[in-house]
Coordinates of all heavy atoms in Angstrom, one line a residue:
M12 N -61.8 140.4 -31.9 CA -61.7 139.8 -30.6 C -60.6 140.5 -29.8 O -60.8 140.8 -28.6 CB -61.5 138.3 -30.7 CG -61.6 137.6 -29.3 SD -61.7 135.9 -29.4 CE -60.0 135.4 -29.6
L13 N -59.5 140.8 -30.4 CA -58.4 141.5 -29.8 C -58.8 142.9 -29.3 O -58.5 143.3 -28.2 CB -57.2 141.6 -30.7 CG -56.0 142.3 -30.1 CD1 -55.4 141.5 -28.9 CD2 -54.9 142.4 -31.2
A14 N -59.6 143.6 -30.1 CA -60.1 145.0 -29.8 C -61.0 144.9 -28.6 O -60.9 145.8 -27.7 CB -60.7 145.6 -31.0
N15 N -61.9 143.9 -28.6 CA -62.8 143.8 -27.4 C -62.1 143.4 -26.2 O -62.4 143.9 -25.1 CB -63.9 142.7 -27.8 CG -64.9 143.2 -28.8 OD1 -65.1 144.4 -28.9 ND2 -65.4 142.3 -29.6
T16 N -61.1 142.6 -26.3 CA -60.3 142.3 -25.1 C -59.5 143.5 -24.6 O -59.5 143.7 -23.4 CB -59.2 141.2 -25.5 OG1 -59.9 140.0 -26.0 CG2 -58.4 140.7 -24.3
L17 N -59.0 144.3 -25.5 CA -58.3 145.5 -25.1 C -59.3 146.5 -24.4 O -58.9 147.1 -23.4 CB -57.6 146.2 -26.3 CG -56.8 147.4 -26.0 CD1 -55.7 147.1 -25.0 CD2 -56.3 148.0 -27.3
S18 N -60.5 146.6 -24.9 CA -61.5 147.5 -24.3 C -61.8 147.0 -22.9 O -61.9 147.8 -21.9 CB -62.8 147.5 -25.1 OG -62.5 148.1 -26.3
M19 N -61.9 145.7 -22.7 CA -62.2 145.1 -21.4 C -61.1 145.3 -20.4 O -61.3 145.6 -19.2 CB -62.5 143.6 -21.5 CG -63.9 143.3 -21.9 SD -65.0 143.8 -20.7 CE -66.3 144.4 -21.7
I20 N -59.9 145.3 -20.9 CA -58.7 145.5 -20.0 C -58.7 147.0 -19.6 O -58.4 147.3 -18.4 CB -57.4 145.1 -20.8 CG1 -57.3 143.6 -20.9 CG2 -56.2 145.7 -20.0 CD1 -56.1 143.1 -21.7
V21 N -59.0 147.9 -20.5 CA -59.1 149.3 -20.1 C -60.2 149.5 -19.0 O -59.9 150.2 -18.0 CB -59.4 150.2 -21.3 CG1 -59.7 151.6 -20.9 CG2 -58.2 150.1 -22.3
I22 N -61.3 148.9 -19.2 CA -62.4 149.0 -18.2 C -62.0 148.4 -16.9 O -62.2 149.0 -15.8 CB -63.7 148.4 -18.7 CG1 -64.2 149.2 -19.9 CG2 -64.7 148.3 -17.7 CD1 -65.3 148.6 -20.7
I23 N -61.4 147.3 -16.9 CA -60.9 146.7 -15.6 C -59.9 147.6 -14.9 O -59.9 147.8 -13.7 CB -60.3 145.3 -15.9 CG1 -61.5 144.3 -16.3 CG2 -59.6 144.7 -14.7 CD1 -61.0 143.0 -16.8
W24 N -59.0 148.1 -15.7 CA -57.9 149.0 -15.1 C -58.6 150.2 -14.5 O -58.2 150.7 -13.4 CB -57.0 149.4 -16.2 CG -55.9 150.3 -15.8 CD1 -54.9 150.1 -14.9 CD2 -55.7 151.6 -16.3 NE1 -54.1 151.2 -14.8 CE2 -54.5 152.2 -15.6 CE3 -56.3 152.4 -17.2 CZ2 -54.1 153.4 -15.9 CZ3 -55.8 153.7 -17.5 CH2 -54.7 154.2 -16.8
F25 N -59.6 150.8 -15.2 CA -60.3 152.0 -14.7 C -61.0 151.6 -13.4 O -61.0 152.4 -12.4 CB -61.3 152.4 -15.7 CG -62.1 153.6 -15.3 CD1 -61.5 154.9 -15.3 CD2 -63.4 153.5 -15.0 CE1 -62.3 156.0 -14.9 CE2 -64.2 154.6 -14.6 CZ -63.6 155.8 -14.5
I26 N -61.7 150.5 -13.3 CA -62.4 150.1 -12.1 C -61.5 149.9 -10.9 O -61.8 150.3 -9.8 CB -63.3 148.9 -12.4 CG1 -64.4 149.2 -13.3 CG2 -63.8 148.3 -11.1 CD1 -65.2 148.1 -13.8
I27 N -60.4 149.2 -11.2 CA -59.4 149.0 -10.1 C -58.9 150.4 -9.6 O -58.7 150.6 -8.4 CB -58.2 148.1 -10.5 CG1 -58.8 146.7 -10.8 CG2 -57.1 148.1 -9.5 CD1 -57.7 145.8 -11.4
G28 N -58.6 151.3 -10.5 CA -58.2 152.6 -10.1 C -59.2 153.4 -9.3 O -58.9 154.1 -8.3
L29 N -60.5 153.2 -9.6 CA -61.5 153.8 -8.8 C -61.6 153.2 -7.4 O -61.8 153.9 -6.4 CB -62.9 153.6 -9.5 CG -63.2 154.5 -10.7 CD1 -64.6 154.2 -11.3 CD2 -63.1 156.0 -10.3
L30 N -61.4 151.9 -7.3 CA -61.4 151.2 -6.0 C -60.3 151.8 -5.1 O -60.5 152.0 -3.9 CB -61.3 149.7 -6.2 CG -62.4 149.0 -6.8 CD1 -62.1 147.5 -7.1 CD2 -63.7 149.1 -6.0
F31 N -59.1 152.0 -5.7 CA -58.0 152.6 -5.0 C -58.3 154.1 -4.6 O -58.1 154.5 -3.5 CB -56.7 152.5 -5.8 CG -56.1 151.1 -5.8 CD1 -55.4 150.7 -6.9 CD2 -56.2 150.3 -4.7 CE1 -54.9 149.4 -7.0 CE2 -55.6 149.0 -4.7 CZ -54.9 148.6 -5.9
A32 N -58.9 154.8 -5.6 CA -59.1 156.2 -5.4 C -60.1 156.5 -4.3 O -60.0 157.5 -3.5 CB -59.6 156.9 -6.7
F33 N -61.2 155.7 -4.2 CA -62.2 155.9 -3.2 C -62.0 155.0 -1.9 O -62.9 154.9 -1.1 CB -63.6 155.6 -3.7 CG -64.0 156.6 -4.7 CD1 -64.1 156.3 -6.1 CD2 -64.3 157.9 -4.3 CE1 -64.5 157.3 -7.0 CE2 -64.7 158.9 -5.3 CZ -64.8 158.6 -6.6
N34 N -60.8 154.5 -1.8 CA -60.4 153.7 -0.6 C -61.3 152.5 -0.3 O -61.5 152.1 0.8 CB -60.2 154.6 0.7 CG -59.1 155.5 0.6 OD1 -58.0 155.1 0.0 ND2 -59.2 156.7 1.1
V35 N -61.9 152.0 -1.3 CA -62.6 150.7 -1.2 C -61.7 149.6 -0.9 O -61.9 148.7 -0.1 CB -63.5 150.5 -2.4 CG1 -64.2 149.1 -2.3 CG2 -64.5 151.6 -2.6
V36 N -60.5 149.7 -1.7 CA -59.5 148.7 -1.5 C -58.2 149.5 -1.2 O -57.9 150.5 -1.8 CB -59.2 147.9 -2.8 CG1 -58.1 146.9 -2.7 CG2 -60.5 147.1 -3.2
S37 N -57.5 149.0 -0.2 CA -56.3 149.7 0.2 C -55.1 149.4 -0.8 O -55.1 148.3 -1.4 CB -55.8 149.2 1.6 OG -54.6 149.7 1.9
R38 N -54.3 150.3 -0.9 CA -53.1 150.1 -1.8 C -52.1 149.1 -1.2 O -51.2 148.6 -1.9 CB -52.3 151.4 -2.0 CG -53.1 152.3 -3.0 CD -52.2 153.0 -3.9 NE -52.9 153.9 -4.8 CZ -53.0 153.7 -6.0 NH1 -52.5 152.7 -6.6 NH2 -53.7 154.6 -6.8
D39 N -52.4 148.7 0.0 CA -51.6 147.6 0.6 C -52.0 146.3 0.1 O -51.2 145.3 0.3 CB -51.8 147.6 2.2 CG -51.2 148.9 2.8 OD1 -50.3 149.5 2.2 OD2 -51.7 149.3 3.9
N40 N -53.1 146.1 -0.6 CA -53.5 144.9 -1.3 C -52.5 144.7 -2.4 O -52.7 145.2 -3.5 CB -54.9 145.0 -1.7 CG -55.4 143.7 -2.3 OD1 -54.7 142.9 -2.8 ND2 -56.7 143.5 -2.2
Q41 N -51.5 143.8 -2.2 CA -50.4 143.6 -3.2 C -50.9 143.0 -4.5 O -50.4 143.4 -5.5 CB -49.3 142.7 -2.6 CG -48.5 143.4 -1.5 CD -47.8 144.6 -2.1 OE1 -47.1 144.5 -3.1 NE2 -47.9 145.7 -1.4
F42 N -51.9 142.1 -4.4 CA -52.4 141.5 -5.6 C -53.0 142.5 -6.6 O -52.7 142.6 -7.7 CB -53.4 140.4 -5.3 CG -54.0 139.8 -6.5 CD1 -53.3 138.9 -7.3 CD2 -55.3 140.1 -6.9 CE1 -53.9 138.4 -8.5 CE2 -55.9 139.5 -8.0 CZ -55.2 138.7 -8.8
L43 N -54.0 143.3 -6.1 CA -54.6 144.3 -6.9 C -53.6 145.4 -7.3 O -53.7 145.9 -8.5 CB -55.8 144.9 -6.2 CG -57.1 144.1 -6.3 CD1 -58.3 144.9 -5.7 CD2 -57.5 143.8 -7.8
W44 N -52.7 145.7 -6.5 CA -51.7 146.7 -6.8 C -50.9 146.3 -8.0 O -50.6 147.0 -8.9 CB -50.9 147.1 -5.6 CG -49.9 148.2 -5.9 CD1 -50.2 149.5 -5.9 CD2 -48.6 148.1 -6.2 NE1 -49.1 150.3 -6.2 CE2 -48.1 149.5 -6.4 CE3 -47.7 147.1 -6.4 CZ2 -46.8 149.7 -6.8 CZ3 -46.4 147.4 -6.8 CH2 -45.9 148.7 -6.9
Q45 N -50.5 145.0 -8.0 CA -49.7 144.4 -9.0 C -50.5 144.3 -10.3 O -49.9 144.5 -11.4 CB -49.1 143.0 -8.7 CG -47.9 143.1 -7.8 CD -46.7 143.7 -8.5 OE1 -46.7 143.9 -9.7 NE2 -45.7 143.9 -7.7
V46 N -51.7 143.9 -10.2 CA -52.6 143.8 -11.4 C -52.7 145.2 -12.0 O -52.6 145.4 -13.3 CB -54.0 143.2 -11.0 CG1 -55.0 143.4 -12.2 CG2 -53.9 141.8 -10.7
E47 N -53.0 146.2 -11.2 CA -53.1 147.6 -11.7 C -51.8 148.1 -12.4 O -51.9 148.7 -13.4 CB -53.5 148.5 -10.6 CG -54.1 149.8 -11.0 CD -53.1 151.0 -11.0 OE1 -52.0 150.8 -10.4 OE2 -53.3 152.0 -11.6
R48 N -50.7 147.8 -11.8 CA -49.4 148.2 -12.3 C -49.1 147.5 -13.6 O -48.6 148.1 -14.6 CB -48.3 148.0 -11.3 CG -48.3 148.9 -10.1 CD -47.9 150.3 -10.4 NE -49.0 151.1 -10.8 CZ -49.1 152.2 -11.6 NH1 -48.0 152.6 -12.2 NH2 -50.2 152.8 -11.9
S49 N -49.5 146.2 -13.7 CA -49.2 145.4 -14.9 C -50.1 146.0 -16.1 O -49.6 146.1 -17.2 CB -49.5 144.0 -14.7 OG -48.7 143.4 -13.7
I50 N -51.3 146.2 -15.8 CA -52.2 146.7 -16.8 C -51.8 148.1 -17.3 O -51.8 148.4 -18.5 CB -53.7 146.7 -16.4 CG1 -54.2 145.3 -16.2 CG2 -54.6 147.4 -17.4 CD1 -55.5 145.1 -15.6
A51 N -51.4 148.9 -16.3 CA -50.9 150.3 -16.6 C -49.7 150.2 -17.5 O -49.6 151.0 -18.4 CB -50.6 151.1 -15.3
G52 N -48.8 149.3 -17.2 CA -47.6 149.1 -18.1 C -48.0 148.7 -19.5 O -47.3 149.1 -20.5
L53 N -49.0 147.9 -19.7 CA -49.5 147.5 -21.0 C -50.2 148.7 -21.7 O -50.0 148.8 -23.0 CB -50.4 146.3 -20.9 CG -49.9 145.0 -20.5 CD1 -51.0 144.0 -20.3 CD2 -48.9 144.5 -21.6
L54 N -50.9 149.4 -21.0 CA -51.7 150.5 -21.7 C -51.0 151.8 -21.8 O -51.4 152.6 -22.7 CB -53.0 150.7 -20.8 CG -54.0 149.6 -20.8 CD1 -55.2 149.9 -19.9 CD2 -54.5 149.2 -22.2
E55 N -50.0 152.0 -21.1 CA -49.3 153.3 -21.1 C -48.8 153.7 -22.5 O -49.0 154.9 -22.9 CB -48.1 153.3 -20.1 CG -47.5 154.7 -20.0 CD -48.5 155.8 -19.5 OE1 -49.4 155.4 -18.7 OE2 -48.3 156.9 -19.9
P56 N -48.2 152.8 -23.3 CA -47.8 153.2 -24.7 C -49.0 153.6 -25.6 O -48.8 154.4 -26.5 CB -47.2 151.9 -25.3 CG -46.8 151.1 -24.1 CD -47.8 151.4 -23.0
L57 N -50.2 153.1 -25.3 CA -51.4 153.5 -26.0 C -52.0 154.8 -25.5 O -52.5 155.6 -26.3 CB -52.4 152.4 -26.0 CG -52.0 151.1 -26.6 CD1 -53.1 150.0 -26.3 CD2 -51.8 151.2 -28.1
L58 N -51.9 155.0 -24.2 CA -52.5 156.2 -23.6 C -51.6 157.5 -23.7 O -52.1 158.6 -23.7 CB -52.9 155.9 -22.2 CG -53.9 154.9 -21.9 CD1 -54.0 154.6 -20.4 CD2 -55.2 155.3 -22.5
R59 N -50.3 157.3 -23.7 CA -49.4 158.4 -23.7 C -49.6 159.4 -24.9 O -49.7 160.6 -24.7 CB -47.9 157.9 -23.7 CG -46.9 159.0 -23.5 CD -45.5 158.5 -23.4 NE -45.4 157.4 -22.4 CZ -44.9 156.2 -22.8 NH1 -44.5 156.0 -24.0 NH2 -44.8 155.3 -21.9
P60 N -49.8 158.9 -26.1 CA -50.1 159.9 -27.2 C -51.4 160.6 -27.1 O -51.5 161.8 -27.4 CB -50.1 159.0 -28.5 CG -49.4 157.8 -28.1 CD -49.6 157.6 -26.7
I61 N -52.4 159.9 -26.5 CA -53.7 160.5 -26.3 C -53.6 161.6 -25.3 O -54.2 162.7 -25.4 CB -54.7 159.5 -25.9 CG1 -54.9 158.4 -27.0 CG2 -56.1 160.1 -25.5 CD1 -55.8 157.2 -26.6
R62 N -52.8 161.4 -24.2 CA -52.7 162.3 -23.1 C -51.9 163.6 -23.6 O -52.1 164.7 -23.2 CB -51.9 161.7 -22.0 CG -52.8 160.7 -21.2 CD -52.0 160.2 -20.0 NE -52.8 159.2 -19.3 CZ -52.4 158.1 -18.8 NH1 -51.1 157.8 -18.9 NH2 -53.2 157.3 -18.2
R63 N -51.0 163.4 -24.6 CA -50.3 164.5 -25.1 C -51.2 165.5 -25.9 O -51.0 166.7 -25.9 CB -49.1 164.1 -26.1 CG -47.9 163.8 -25.3 CD -46.7 163.6 -26.3 NE -46.1 162.3 -25.9 CZ -45.8 161.4 -26.8 NH1 -46.0 161.5 -28.1 NH2 -45.3 160.2 -26.4
V64 N -52.2 164.9 -26.6 CA -53.1 165.7 -27.4 C -54.2 166.3 -26.6 O -54.6 167.5 -26.9 CB -53.7 164.8 -28.5 CG1 -54.7 165.5 -29.3 CG2 -52.6 164.3 -29.5
M65 N -54.7 165.6 -25.6 CA -55.8 166.1 -24.8 C -55.3 167.2 -23.8 O -54.2 167.2 -23.3 CB -56.4 165.0 -24.0 CG -57.2 164.0 -24.9 SD -58.0 162.8 -23.9 CE -59.1 163.7 -22.9
P66 N -56.2 168.2 -23.6 CA -55.9 169.2 -22.6 C -55.9 168.6 -21.2 O -56.6 167.6 -20.9 CB -57.0 170.2 -22.7 CG -58.1 169.5 -23.3 CD -57.5 168.4 -24.2
D67 N -55.1 169.2 -20.3 CA -55.1 168.7 -18.9 C -56.4 169.1 -18.2 O -56.8 170.2 -18.1 CB -53.9 169.4 -18.2 CG -53.7 168.8 -16.8 OD1 -54.2 167.7 -16.5 OD2 -53.1 169.5 -16.0
T68 N -57.1 168.1 -17.6 CA -58.4 168.3 -17.0 C -58.2 168.2 -15.5 O -59.3 168.1 -14.8 CB -59.4 167.3 -17.5 OG1 -59.0 166.0 -17.3 CG2 -59.7 167.5 -19.0
G69 N -57.1 168.1 -15.0 CA -56.9 168.0 -13.5 C -56.8 166.6 -13.1 O -56.1 165.8 -13.6
A70 N -57.7 166.3 -12.1 CA -57.6 164.9 -11.5 C -58.3 163.9 -12.3 O -58.0 162.7 -12.1 CB -58.3 165.0 -10.1
I71 N -59.1 164.2 -13.3 CA -59.8 163.3 -14.1 C -59.1 163.0 -15.4 O -58.8 163.9 -16.1 CB -61.3 163.8 -14.4 CG1 -62.0 164.0 -13.1 CG2 -62.0 162.8 -15.3 CD1 -63.4 164.7 -13.3
D72 N -58.8 161.7 -15.6 CA -58.1 161.3 -16.8 C -59.1 160.7 -17.8 O -59.6 159.7 -17.6 CB -57.0 160.3 -16.5 CG -56.1 159.9 -17.7 OD1 -56.2 160.6 -18.7 OD2 -55.4 158.9 -17.5
F73 N -59.3 161.4 -18.9 CA -60.3 161.0 -19.9 C -59.6 160.1 -21.0 O -60.3 159.6 -21.9 CB -61.0 162.2 -20.6 CG -61.9 162.8 -19.7 CD1 -61.6 164.1 -19.1 CD2 -63.1 162.3 -19.3 CE1 -62.5 164.7 -18.3 CE2 -64.0 162.9 -18.4 CZ -63.7 164.1 -17.9
S74 N -58.3 159.9 -20.9 CA -57.6 159.2 -22.0 C -58.1 157.7 -22.1 O -58.2 157.2 -23.3 CB -56.1 159.2 -21.8 OG -55.7 158.7 -20.6
P75 N -58.5 157.0 -21.1 CA -59.0 155.6 -21.3 C -60.3 155.6 -22.0 O -60.5 154.8 -22.9 CB -59.2 155.1 -19.8 CG -58.3 155.9 -19.0 CD -58.2 157.2 -19.6
M76 N -61.2 156.6 -21.8 CA -62.4 156.7 -22.5 C -62.2 157.0 -24.0 O -62.8 156.4 -24.9 CB -63.3 157.8 -21.9 CG -64.7 157.9 -22.6 SD -65.7 159.2 -21.9 CE -64.8 160.7 -22.2
V77 N -61.2 157.9 -24.3 CA -60.9 158.2 -25.7 C -60.3 157.0 -26.3 O -60.6 156.7 -27.5 CB -59.9 159.4 -25.7 CG1 -59.4 159.6 -27.1 CG2 -60.5 160.6 -25.2
L78 N -59.5 156.2 -25.6 CA -58.9 155.0 -26.2 C -60.0 154.0 -26.6 O -60.0 153.4 -27.6 CB -57.9 154.3 -25.2 CG -57.3 153.0 -25.7 CD1 -56.5 153.2 -27.0 CD2 -56.4 152.4 -24.6
I79 N -61.0 153.8 -25.7 CA -62.1 152.9 -26.0 C -62.9 153.4 -27.2 O -63.3 152.6 -28.1 CB -63.0 152.7 -24.7 CG1 -62.3 151.9 -23.7 CG2 -64.3 152.0 -25.1 CD1 -63.0 151.8 -22.4
L80 N -63.2 154.7 -27.3 CA -63.9 155.3 -28.4 C -63.1 155.1 -29.7 O -63.7 154.8 -30.8 CB -64.1 156.8 -28.2 CG -65.2 157.1 -27.1 CD1 -65.2 158.6 -26.9 CD2 -66.5 156.5 -27.5
L81 N -61.8 155.2 -29.7 CA -60.9 155.0 -30.8 C -61.0 153.5 -31.3 O -61.0 153.2 -32.5 CB -59.5 155.4 -30.6 CG -59.3 156.9 -30.5 CD1 -57.8 157.2 -30.1 CD2 -59.5 157.6 -31.9
I82 N -60.9 152.6 -30.3 CA -61.0 151.2 -30.6 C -62.3 150.9 -31.3 O -62.4 150.2 -32.3 CB -60.8 150.3 -29.3 CG1 -59.4 150.4 -28.8 CG2 -61.2 148.9 -29.6 CD1 -59.2 149.9 -27.4
N83 N -63.4 151.4 -30.7 CA -64.7 151.2 -31.4 C -64.8 151.8 -32.7 O -65.4 151.2 -33.6 CB -65.8 151.7 -30.4 CG -66.0 150.8 -29.3 OD1 -65.8 149.6 -29.3 ND2 -66.4 151.4 -28.1
A84 N -64.2 153.0 -32.9 CA -64.2 153.6 -34.3 C -63.5 152.8 -35.3 O -63.9 152.6 -36.4 CB -63.6 155.0 -34.2
V85 N -62.3 152.2 -34.9 CA -61.6 151.3 -35.8 C -62.4 150.1 -36.1 O -62.4 149.6 -37.2 CB -60.2 150.9 -35.1 CG1 -59.5 149.8 -35.8 CG2 -59.3 152.2 -35.0
L86 N -63.1 149.5 -35.1 CA -63.9 148.3 -35.4 C -65.0 148.7 -36.4 O -65.4 147.8 -37.2 CB -64.5 147.8 -34.1 CG -63.6 147.1 -33.1 CD1 -64.3 146.7 -31.8 CD2 -63.1 145.8 -33.8
I87 N -65.6 149.8 -36.2 CA -66.7 150.2 -37.2 C -66.1 150.4 -38.6 O -66.7 149.9 -39.6 CB -67.4 151.5 -36.7 CG1 -68.2 151.2 -35.4 CG2 -68.3 152.1 -37.8 CD1 -68.7 152.5 -34.7
V88 N -65.0 151.0 -38.7 CA -64.4 151.2 -40.0 C -64.0 149.9 -40.6 O -64.3 149.7 -41.8 CB -63.2 152.2 -39.9 CG1 -62.3 152.2 -41.2 CG2 -63.6 153.6 -39.5
L89 N -63.4 149.0 -39.8 CA -63.0 147.7 -40.4 C -64.2 146.9 -40.7 O -64.2 146.1 -41.6 CB -62.1 147.0 -39.4 CG -60.7 147.6 -39.2 CD1 -59.9 146.8 -38.2 CD2 -59.9 147.6 -40.5
G90 N -65.3 147.0 -39.9 CA -66.5 146.3 -40.2 C -67.2 146.7 -41.5 O -67.9 145.9 -42.1
S91 N -67.0 147.9 -41.9 CA -67.6 148.4 -43.1 C -66.8 148.1 -44.3 O -67.3 148.2 -45.4 CB -67.9 149.9 -43.0 OG -66.6 150.6 -43.0
L92 N -65.6 147.6 -44.2 CA -64.8 147.2 -45.3 C -65.2 145.9 -45.9 O -65.4 145.0 -45.8 CB -63.3 147.3 -45.0 CG -62.8 148.7 -44.7 CD1 -61.3 148.6 -44.3 CD2 -62.9 149.6 -45.9

């Protein structure tokens, strides 16, 4: 359940980031800005090692997708035990 919750948090963080990136929501929206910063603070320790290993792709950050794939891989391995 914890792994699924973490995956959902990563997806929510990604969607909020897209809303900001495409100016659907202004960064002046303090509530969403705080939510995005809080989630980023929680996820940064998990994403930082992934970003160090992955090559720089420019504006697109694939580390959240890799984190979700790693979480699912751990769930599959633990499920088979």
Side-chain angles (χ1 to χ4, degrees):
M12 188 166 79
L13 181 63
N15 289 330
T16 303
L17 183 59
S18 293
M19 281 294 144
I20 289 173
V21 171
I22 292 169
I23 290 168
W24 178 64
F25 179 75
I26 290 171
I27 292 173
L29 285 177
L30 291 174
F31 284 145
F33 290 110
N34 290 325
V35 175
V36 176
S37 171
R38 288 219 181 249
D39 294 333
N40 185 332
Q41 289 296 314
F42 175 73
L43 276 182
W44 187 79
Q45 280 293 352
V46 169
E47 197 263 343
R48 290 287 91 210
S49 299
I50 294 173
L53 289 172
L54 295 178
E55 188 60 33
L57 298 172
L58 295 173
R59 192 176 309 123
I61 296 170
R62 287 181 181 142
R63 273 191 234 133
V64 174
M65 291 184 61
D67 187 21
T68 57
I71 301 172
D72 184 13
F73 290 107
S74 59
M76 182 179 64
V77 172
L78 178 61
I79 290 174
L80 290 173
L81 287 173
I82 291 169
N83 286 331
V85 168
L86 284 176
I87 291 170
V88 168
L89 291 178
S91 66
L92 294 178

